[in-house]
């Protein structure tokens, strides 16, 4: 506070040397009066702390706040006539210097409170997705041949995988890491690290090329990978590769399932709110190599048929003056729903050993029912934030009617097509997409990006949402002002949503992207049962 008092005193002394004692008296009186504010000690302490922080903000941004006040005056002044301005000027001339100073400080204080309380806008500058090399491609015939050779003693498990694959919605161009192509597979630690380096570094290099971002300028780094969590962490691997700054704020999220990508976005949002003039790079991936199940249990074989290589890198920023104009999207909402307190939900996606000691992920038969109820809880929170008033009223009336009048009323699902132009549903499998399309009453076009992503790249876990967003962009369908809803499910059990608003019209990507060589032949017809 003494620095601020001296700065203002020096500024005023150049024009009004005789009022310097009044300035010092004002600040001393103000600081001494803070503990005398009404209310409980706890409330009074919070008010004192907030006021002190506000004055500190004024001290650091005095020039900017002064420019804002002067600019506001110049915007308002033309609305008054000359006589009105002369009257106001005469009134101000009648005030003594201390009153004028108090008025100026009050205006600066109000501007400070407004700027401090206003949440910082979070922009998605750009994103990049990893495109697997053609050498990693796994056609149906190759996958089934390897299954027969690896499971010679369990023909029923081979037939089970064939039925799953034929109904999975995957195409012939999905990819698995090199270690899985061996017979038998070699899922050792070194192979897993090589896959992580291939996926993460490739996605980051594409992001740096698209945005012009220098690795040295990264302020916050978040890496999420659920099943592969080595030491040092994957975030440390990135820092070592690009020799990032020693004061970077890095985070490594593991074990959070396919919805970890949106959890990372939520974490980045919170960090960017408290760290001004910063950017954040989020890397979302899943490393397949050490998690390929080599046992016979049927409930653990489903992930083998669905999960494939993939990863994405996303650049977020709160720098509206430098990134706001070029950013693709602005983050509107992140809504998270966690059902971990329910035992059934907690165990519906569970990593465990089979009788032979081989580790795999078992998927419960109740998975889709739990996902549906979790989605309903999530949209009950998201709905009031995005839905038109009429839809909210109908939803409330339906809830009241089911509770107090007719319990057999069907649950009213709001029309989210009135709130969003684009939907990115986690490509966890055909059943996931079918269920959400039915529950949300979406058209085939609304779920096209999800189905085509599943067909071309498979279930890439937390990064699948970004392949879908890239598909919409590659098709040239994104317009300024369009709203995008990303929905993801994850173990635990979780349902997370993110809402983005398109910041500018997005033309087809200039830097290629994952759909560069195939977007012209999509969408394709996906049979209910593929012939293997």
């Amino acid at each position: 506070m003494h620095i601020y008092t001296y700065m203002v005193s020096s500024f005023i002394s150049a024009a009004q040397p005789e009022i310097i004692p009044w300035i010092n008296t004002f600040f001393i009186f103000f600081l001494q009066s803070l503990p005398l504010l009404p209310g409980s000690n706890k409330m009074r302490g919070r008010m004192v702390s907030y006021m002190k922080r506000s004055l500190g903000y004024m001290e650091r941004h005095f020039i900017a706040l002064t420019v804002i006040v002067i600019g506001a005056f110049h915007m308002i002044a033309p609305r008054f006539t000359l006589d009105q301005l002369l009257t106001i000027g005469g009134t101000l001339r009648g005030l003594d210097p201390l009153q004028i100073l108090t008025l100026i400080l009050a205006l600066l204080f109000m501007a400070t409170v407004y700027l401090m309380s206003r949440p910082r806008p979070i922009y998605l500058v750009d994103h990049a997705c990893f495109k697997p090399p053609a050498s990693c491609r796994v056609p149906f015939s190759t996958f089934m041949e390897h299954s027969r050779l690896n499971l010679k003693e369990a023909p029923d498990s081979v037939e089970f995988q064939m039925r799953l694959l034929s109904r999975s919605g995957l195409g012939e161009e999905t990819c698995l890491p090199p270690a899985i192509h061996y017979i038998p597979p070699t899922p050792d630690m070194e192979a897993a690290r090589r896959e992580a380096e291939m996926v993460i570094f490739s996605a980051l290099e594409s992001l740096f090329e698209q945005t012009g971002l220098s690795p040295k300028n990264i302020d916050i780094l978040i890496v999420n990978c659920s099943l592969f969590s080595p030491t040092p962490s994957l975030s440390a691997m990135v820092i070592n590769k690009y020799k990032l700054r020693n004061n970077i704020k890095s985070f490594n999220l593991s074990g959070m399932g396919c919805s970890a990508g949106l959890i990372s976005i939520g974490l980045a949002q919170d960090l960017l709110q408290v760290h001004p003039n910063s950017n954040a790079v989020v890397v979302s991936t899943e490393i397949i190599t050490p998690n390929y199940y080599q046992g016979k249990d049927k409930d653990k074989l489903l992930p083998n048929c669905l999960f494939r290589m993939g990863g994405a890198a996303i650049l977020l920023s709160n720098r509206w003056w430098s990134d706001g104009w070029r950013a693709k999207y602005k983050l509107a909402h992140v809504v998270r729903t966690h059902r971990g307190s329910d035992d059934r939900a907690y165990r519906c996606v569970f990593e465990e050993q089979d009788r032979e000691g081989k580790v795999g992920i078992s998927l419960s038969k109740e998975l889709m029912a739990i996902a549906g109820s979790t989605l309903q809880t999530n949209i009950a929170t998201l709905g009031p934030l995005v839905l038109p008033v009429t839809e909210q009223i109908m939803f409330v009336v339906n809830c009241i009617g089911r509770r107090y009048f007719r319990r057999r009323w069907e649950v009213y699902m709001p029309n989210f097509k009135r709130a969003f132009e684009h939907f990115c549903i986690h490509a966890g499998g055909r059943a996931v997409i079918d269920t959400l399309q039915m529950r949300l009453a979406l058209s085939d076009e609304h779920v096209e990006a999800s189905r085509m992503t599943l067909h071309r790249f498979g279930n890439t876990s937390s990064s699948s949402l970004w392949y879908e967003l890239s598909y919409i962009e590659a098709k040239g369908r994104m317009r300024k002002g369009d709203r995008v809803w990303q929905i993801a499910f994850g173990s635990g059990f979780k349902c997370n949503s993110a809402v983005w608003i398109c910041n500018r019209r997005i033309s087809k990507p200039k830097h290629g992207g994952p759909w560069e060589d195939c977007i012209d032949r999509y969408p394709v017809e996906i049979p209910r049962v593929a012939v293997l």
Side-chain angles (χ1 to χ4, degrees):
M1 293 302 112
H2 296 293
I3 297 174
Y4 182 74
T5 303
Y6 176 77
M7 182 179 66
V8 177
S9 301
S10 301
F11 177 76
I12 299 295
S13 63
Q16 300 286 349
E18 67 275 7
I19 67 170
I20 294 177
W22 290 99
I23 300 173
N24 293 326
T25 302
F26 172 81
F27 278 100
I28 292 172
F29 173 77
F30 180 78
L31 293 174
Q32 289 178 346
S33 65
L34 287 177
L36 301 178
L37 292 170
S40 63
N41 291 335
K42 186 175 182 180
M43 182 181 298
R44 185 164 57 248
R46 290 180 179 176
M47 294 175 68
V48 170
S49 175
Y50 189 77
M51 288 184 177
K52 286 183 177 180
R53 286 192 291 116
S54 298
L55 290 174
Y57 188 92
M58 289 173 61
E59 173 189 332
R60 296 190 301 271
H61 302 85
F62 179 77
I63 296 177
L65 291 168
T66 303
V67 170
I68 290 174
V69 173
I70 294 174
F73 175 78
H74 279 289
M75 293 176 63
I76 296 173
R79 300 185 180 183
F80 293 92
T81 64
L82 180 60
D83 293 338
Q84 291 174 327
L85 290 175
L86 291 174
T87 302
I88 295 173
T91 303
L92 292 177
R93 280 197 297 271
L95 300 176
D96 59 63
L98 181 59
Q99 291 175 319
I100 294 176
L101 176 62
T102 304
L103 178 61
I104 294 173
L105 291 175
L107 292 174
L108 289 175
F109 186 78
M110 288 188 291
T112 301
V113 172
Y114 170 73
L115 292 175
M116 289 183 64
S117 60
R118 183 174 63 96
R120 292 188 177 93
I122 307 301
Y123 297 99
L124 192 162
V125 180
D126 209 341
H127 64 281
C129 296
F130 166 70
K131 184 177 179 180
S135 58
C136 294
R137 191 171 69 90
V138 183
F140 293 155
S141 57
T142 302
F143 184 90
M144 293 311 305
E145 179 184 5
H146 283 217
S147 295
R148 293 188 184 95
L149 294 173
N150 291 325
L151 297 173
K152 293 179 180 178
E153 300 176 356
D156 55 334
S157 296
V158 175
E159 292 300 320
F160 176 73
Q161 283 186 298
M162 179 177 291
R163 291 196 301 272
L164 287 177
L165 196 62
S166 64
R167 293 168 171 80
S168 64
L170 273 67
E172 298 273 6
E173 297 181 81
T174 61
C175 296
L176 285 171
I180 307 302
H181 288 254
Y182 290 97
I183 303 175
T186 58
D188 55 36
M189 176 65 74
E190 187 59 31
R193 287 187 185 276
R194 286 196 299 269
E195 181 194 352
E197 292 172 356
M198 178 197 305
V199 174
I200 294 175
F201 294 161
S202 175
L204 285 172
E205 292 290 348
S206 299
L207 182 70
F208 296 152
E209 179 183 358
Q210 293 171 204
T211 61
L213 175 68
S214 170
K216 297 289 185 181
N217 294 331
I218 298 176
D219 301 308
I220 300 169
L221 174 66
I222 303 172
V223 179
N224 69 263
C225 179
S226 293
L227 297 174
F228 181 55
S229 183
T231 299
S233 65
L234 295 177
S235 59
M237 183 184 75
V238 174
I239 293 172
N240 178 259
K241 165 69 174 180
Y242 295 103
K243 310 304 178 188
L244 304 185
R245 303 197 314 260
N246 57 11
N247 65 341
I248 189 171
K249 299 170 183 64
S250 64
F251 302 85
N252 196 92
L253 306 182
S254 63
M256 306 197 78
C258 299
S259 65
L262 297 187
I263 295 175
S264 298
I265 294 298
L267 175 59
Q269 178 190 32
D270 294 340
L271 291 169
L272 290 173
Q273 287 297 334
V274 297
H275 294 287
N277 192 29
S278 300
N279 60 46
V281 171
V282 175
V283 180
S284 294
T285 187
E286 190 59 77
I287 304 305
I288 306 297
T289 297
N291 304 296
Y292 190 82
Y293 179 61
Q294 300 184 63
K296 306 172 184 177
D297 288 1
K298 295 180 180 180
D299 62 338
K300 297 179 179 63
L301 287 171
L302 177 58
N304 286 3
C305 299
L306 294 178
F307 282 90
R308 296 294 186 266
M309 292 179 71
I314 305 98
L315 174 60
L316 303 175
S317 174
N318 59 16
R319 299 168 179 164
W320 59 269
W321 61 91
S322 61
D323 293 326
W325 62 273
R326 69 182 184 125
K328 286 185 173 181
Y329 305 94
K330 181 180 177 181
L331 181 60
H333 307 287
V334 175
V335 176
R336 296 174 55 185
T337 301
H338 205 301
R339 293 278 305 280
S341 59
D342 183 346
D343 291 341
R344 292 188 310 119
Y346 172 72
R347 294 192 62 90
C348 68
V349 180
F350 206 79
E351 185 179 17
E352 58 187 358
Q353 291 180 324
D354 62 13
R355 297 176 182 177
E356 300 177 357
K358 297 179 180 179
V359 178
I361 301 173
S362 63
L363 303 180
S364 168
K365 296 179 179 179
E366 299 177 313
L367 176 60
M368 295 314 303
I370 293 171
S373 62
T374 310
L375 171 68
Q376 186 173 343
T377 305
N378 186 268
I379 64 177
T381 305
L382 179 66
L385 302 175
V386 298
L387 286 171
V389 176
T390 54
E391 289 296 322
Q392 296 187 45
I393 293 174
M394 293 177 68
F395 181 77
V396 171
V397 170
N398 178 264
C399 291
I400 295 174
R402 286 187 296 108
R403 182 176 181 84
Y404 296 105
F405 299 104
R406 295 180 60 184
R407 295 181 179 272
R408 294 184 179 180
W409 281 10
E410 293 185 4
V411 177
Y412 176 73
M413 181 60 65
N415 183 8
F416 280 94
K417 296 189 290 293
R418 298 184 60 188
F420 303 105
E421 284 74 33
H422 307 285
F423 296 81
C424 294
I425 301 169
H426 167 53
R430 170 175 266 165
V432 175
I433 302 172
D434 288 347
T435 300
L436 265 71
Q437 181 180 10
M438 180 185 66
R439 283 182 173 267
L440 299 175
L442 303 179
S443 67
D444 290 339
E445 184 177 353
H446 286 133
V447 299
E448 179 183 314
S450 300
R451 292 195 189 280
M452 298 306 110
T453 295
L454 181 65
H455 181 271
R456 173 62 182 83
F457 296 100
N459 180 354
T460 60
S461 189
S462 58
S463 63
S464 66
L465 299 173
W466 305 105
Y467 286 92
E468 296 167 20
L469 194 59
S470 297
Y471 178 89
I472 298 171
E473 294 176 358
K475 280 293 184 180
R477 296 173 181 173
M478 194 66 71
R479 300 289 186 271
K480 181 178 180 180
D482 283 1
R483 296 154 297 180
V484 185
W485 183 13
Q486 292 181 321
I487 319 168
F489 299 94
S491 58
F493 187 81
K494 299 179 286 292
C495 175
N496 300 327
S497 296
V499 178
W500 303 90
I501 300 176
C502 186
N503 201 42
R504 58 178 174 83
R505 179 168 181 176
I506 300 175
S507 56
K508 292 187 178 181
K510 298 179 181 179
H511 299 272
W515 298 92
E516 179 183 18
D517 61 344
C518 60
I519 190 62
D520 292 336
R521 53 187 172 89
Y522 277 94
V524 298
E525 185 68 28
I526 303 176
R528 297 299 301 179
V529 180
V531 179
L532 303 187

